[in-house]
Amino acid sequence: MTPTLSPRARLGAVVLAAVVLAALAVTYTVRATDRPEPTAGTHHVTLDNTHGLYVRSERGTIAALGKKSPQQTGLSCRRFYASGNGAVCLTTKPGIPPRSQAIVLDRSLHPRRSVTFGGTPNRARVSPSGRMVSWTVFVSGDSYAGNSFSTRSGILDTRTGYLIKNVETLRLTLDGKRYGASDLNFWGITFADDDNRFYATASTHGKTYLVEGDLKNWTARTLRTNVECPSLSPDGTRIAFKKRVREGTSDPWQLHVLDLKTMRETPLAEARSVDDQAAWLDDRTVSYALPGQGRNSTDVWSVPADGSGAPKLLARDASSPSMNAPESR
């Protein structure tokens, strides 16, 4: 026999349903199905027919968030980034020591080329045109690092095929003088729209620096201290980055935006510590991942880039945000 609900119970059920629907209308929850997804493939979603926010679900699949429900791309990645005419999917390969692979994707999200290297995926970026691809991985075994991890970053020119396996070969100028050290690490590369200039974090002797690099001349110079994981704005005038504002704590960073012309910093209205390389949604907004409600889960948030407003939740159980728009250069 089917139980009969009282009028009060029916009213409560209607109210509960309305609350749930309202919550779903505000944010996405990006969950993969139980069906295994290919490591690098595609469904009907491409960079041509879907312009919007791409995120990685907690199960590793990549989805495009449009105005309706999330669309699965068929990709499974540890890190993902899309821009202009291309994208990159970082995956891991089993073995000891661990190996990683950068799978370069075209506008249809089909694999064009793959590069295999040591380490665990940490950061990925594609230039605004889609031509230049970069990645950063954690590695172990460097003598100066002791029991901790260090980083390796690489860059691939997808047009010429030129591969830079280790950015540490850069001729770096620090405070106006040529500099080299065994503990010098680079990470968090972000490209300008000329496919030559780039920005990154350099670390040495316990300090971090924002560096501006020149690919053609393979040189770089430091611009500022205490800058990590830079992200260049679409108009090329500002850098979003995480700044260490609290020493000796588990939550040391705050998001800031640096005006490259005036070198003025603006703290953003996100009070929580963001351990991520922010991604610009447009010239006014940045997005990033923060720990979520579940164990080892993260959610994607956004905040205005001028220091105003308040953080906004974009997608639950998601990370690795990137925005691909029709005006991508």
Side-chain angles (χ1 to χ4, degrees), residues 277-296:
Q277 184 174 14
W280 292 78
L281 301 184
D282 51 44
D283 282 320
R284 301 174 301 279
T285 315
V286 297
S287 64
Y288 48 91
L290 279 172
Q293 298 175 340
R295 182 180 180 184
N296 297 325

Side-chain angles (χ1 to χ4, degrees), residues 52-299:
L53 180 66
Y54 290 80
V55 297
R56 176 186 182 271
S57 78
E58 63 180 1
R59 296 170 66 96
T61 56
I62 307 302
L65 305 186
K67 294 181 179 180
K68 299 181 180 179
S69 60
Q71 296 176 283
Q72 294 295 328
T73 65
L75 297 166
S76 182
C77 312
R78 292 289 298 272
R79 277 278 175 173
F80 177 84
Y81 197 85
S83 183
N85 292 312
V88 62
C89 170
L90 299 190
T91 65
T92 54
K93 303 186 72 174
I96 301 176
R99 305 285 287 172
S100 295
Q101 191 173 52
I103 302 172
V104 181
L105 308 165
D106 62 17
R107 290 199 67 86
S108 297
L109 298 181
H110 291 141
R112 296 176 54 192
R113 176 177 174 175
S114 64
V115 181
T116 302
F117 39 85
T120 304
N122 178 248
R123 304 284 184 237
R125 276 298 187 269
V126 180
S127 67
S129 70
R131 174 179 172 177
M132 309 304 296
V133 173
S134 72
W135 54 85
T136 298
V137 295
F138 285 128
V139 296
S140 59
D142 288 338
S143 59
Y144 61 81
N147 295 325
S148 62
F149 288 91
S150 52
T151 62
R152 292 282 187 279
S153 293
I155 296 175
L156 174 67
D157 185 334
T158 64
R159 183 177 301 172
T160 66
Y162 184 66
L163 172 64
I164 300 166
K165 295 182 178 180
N166 192 347
V167 176
E168 291 173 22
T169 61
L170 265 171
R171 297 190 301 275
L172 176 65
T173 299
L174 189 153
D175 295 333
K177 298 179 180 180
R178 179 71 182 275
Y179 182 83
S182 61
D183 72 338
L184 184 61
N185 277 199
F186 292 89
W187 68 82
I189 295 169
T190 182
F191 296 100
D193 60 7
D194 60 3
D195 289 324
N196 177 62
R197 186 165 42 92
F198 67 94
Y199 298 88
T201 297
S203 172
T204 182
H205 294 306
K207 290 185 177 181
T208 59
Y209 300 85
L210 173 67
V211 301
E212 180 182 33
D214 183 322
L215 284 168
K216 292 180 180 178
N217 295 313
W218 200 230
T219 58
R221 63 189 181 102
T222 59
L223 299 180
R224 198 174 190 83
T225 59
N226 197 11
V227 172
E228 296 189 51
C229 298
S231 182
L232 186 63
S233 62
D235 62 12
T237 64
R238 289 155 295 154
I239 292 280
F241 66 99
K242 62 177 191 178
K243 179 178 181 178
R244 189 176 291 273
V245 296
R246 294 175 289 270
E247 294 291 344
T249 68
S250 60
D251 58 344
W253 294 289
Q254 182 178 5
L255 283 179
H256 285 65
V257 166
L258 173 69
D259 186 304
L260 290 171
K261 184 177 181 180
T262 65
M263 286 293 158
R264 178 183 176 185
E265 292 181 0
T266 300
L268 302 190
E270 173 56 84
R272 293 166 293 184
S273 181
V274 178
D275 185 11
D276 195 17
Q277 184 174 14
W280 292 78
L281 301 184
D282 51 44
D283 282 320
R284 301 174 301 279
T285 315
V286 297
S287 64
Y288 48 91
L290 279 172
Q293 298 175 340
R295 182 180 180 184
N296 297 325
S297 71
T298 57
D299 301 329

